[in-house]
Amino acid sequence: MSFLHPSHIAAALDQRLTAETVRKLQNCHRLEQRLARQMKLHLAEQDLWPIPASIEFLAGPAHPQEVARLAGAIWHAASLRLVVTGKAAAELVATIGEKAFAFGLRHAAASIAPAQAIGPSELAHAIDRDGLACLGAWLAGEPKPRRDAVLLRLSPEETERARRFGPEHKAACQPVMMIVTTEGETR
């Protein structure tokens, strides 16, 4: 249970649970079986049941949100290159993080989307949207336990967004995710 995104537990039990309470539930090994039974219906509705074995969680990326953001930064690297200084760059870095910003600039040659001069908040939204879609398209080719292990680390909203990918994400996900998995998590 400790690998699951806390919002999955809160959504299955009670949305009013505090983050601290959920964290305590996740770390209480004595309650794991009871907690899993309580979550079964909620996770089954999302096609995330049964909960994968710990080995599946350990085989996938530890921080899929970051992996998705790095994939999105590559996806929109051409647009990132248009925002390199000033207030717009500072706003974008504050939203997507310095690592994703620098990663996208470093891999501008692998950009998928054409360069667009759009505002930092719109670009950040596009990076998150396409990054999650790219992650989802990549996961679609993985065995269900491995795919579910990654999706369970995301919030339910992020999981839903990762499942909504288009043919362009499916076509480009392999080279983008190859860059992210070989370089992204090691820096």
Side-chain angles (χ1 to χ4, degrees), residues 150-161:
V150 174
L151 293 175
L152 284 165
R153 286 182 183 256
L154 299 170
S155 72
E157 296 80 23
E158 291 168 327
T159 298
E160 181 59 35
R161 288 174 36 207

Side-chain angles (χ1 to χ4, degrees), residues 3-5 8 57 60-72 127-128 131-136 138-139 146-155 158-159 162 177 180-181 185:
F3 294 114
L4 273 62
H5 192 279
H8 284 289
F57 285 97
H63 305 286
Q65 297 91 341
E66 183 177 319
V67 168
R69 185 157 283 161
L70 294 177
I127 287 169
D128 286 342
L132 283 167
C134 190
L135 176 66
W138 180 64
L139 289 172
R146 178 128 335 127
R147 178 179 60 241
D148 288 356
V150 174
L151 293 175
L152 284 165
R153 286 182 183 256
L154 299 170
S155 72
E158 291 168 327
T159 298
M177 294 306 292
V180 172
T181 57
E185 289 203 308

Side-chain angles (χ1 to χ4, degrees), residues 4-181:
L4 273 62
H5 192 279
S7 60
H8 284 289
I9 295 170
L13 300 178
D14 188 337
Q15 292 285 8
R16 298 172 292 179
L17 290 174
T18 66
E20 182 181 338
T21 301
V22 171
R23 196 171 27 261
K24 286 179 182 177
L25 288 170
Q26 281 182 294
N27 294 324
C28 183
H29 297 293
R30 187 173 51 86
L31 295 176
E32 277 187 9
Q33 295 301 318
R34 289 180 60 194
L35 189 55
R37 283 193 303 271
Q38 291 293 318
M39 295 183 63
K40 182 178 180 177
L41 181 61
H42 171 75
L43 294 177
E45 288 173 356
Q46 297 177 44
D47 191 30
L48 293 171
W49 186 262
I51 297 173
S54 296
I55 193 78
E56 296 297 346
F57 285 97
L58 297 172
H63 305 286
Q65 297 91 341
E66 183 177 319
V67 168
R69 185 157 283 161
L70 294 177
I74 291 173
W75 196 276
H76 290 282
S79 296
L80 275 175
R81 292 184 85 182
L82 300 176
V83 185
V84 292
T85 60
K87 184 180 175 184
E91 185 180 330
L92 191 55
V93 167
T95 306
I96 68 168
E98 189 174 332
K99 181 177 180 177
F101 187 80
F103 193 79
L105 291 176
R106 195 168 47 253
H107 295 287
S111 182
I112 306 298
Q116 294 179 313
I118 57 177
S121 62
E122 295 144 85
L123 182 54
H125 175 72
I127 287 169
D128 286 342
R129 179 195 63 233
D130 288 317
L132 283 167
C134 190
L135 176 66
W138 180 64
L139 289 172
E142 294 292 313
K144 183 177 178 0
R146 178 128 335 127
R147 178 179 60 241
D148 288 356
V150 174
L151 293 175
L152 284 165
R153 286 182 183 256
L154 299 170
S155 72
E157 296 80 23
E158 291 168 327
T159 298
E160 181 59 35
R161 288 174 36 207
R163 288 178 165 163
R164 285 184 276 163
F165 58 85
E168 67 280 7
H169 298 102
K170 190 69 176 162
C173 71
Q174 291 300 327
V176 169
M177 294 306 292
M178 178 64 78
I179 294 168
V180 172
T181 57

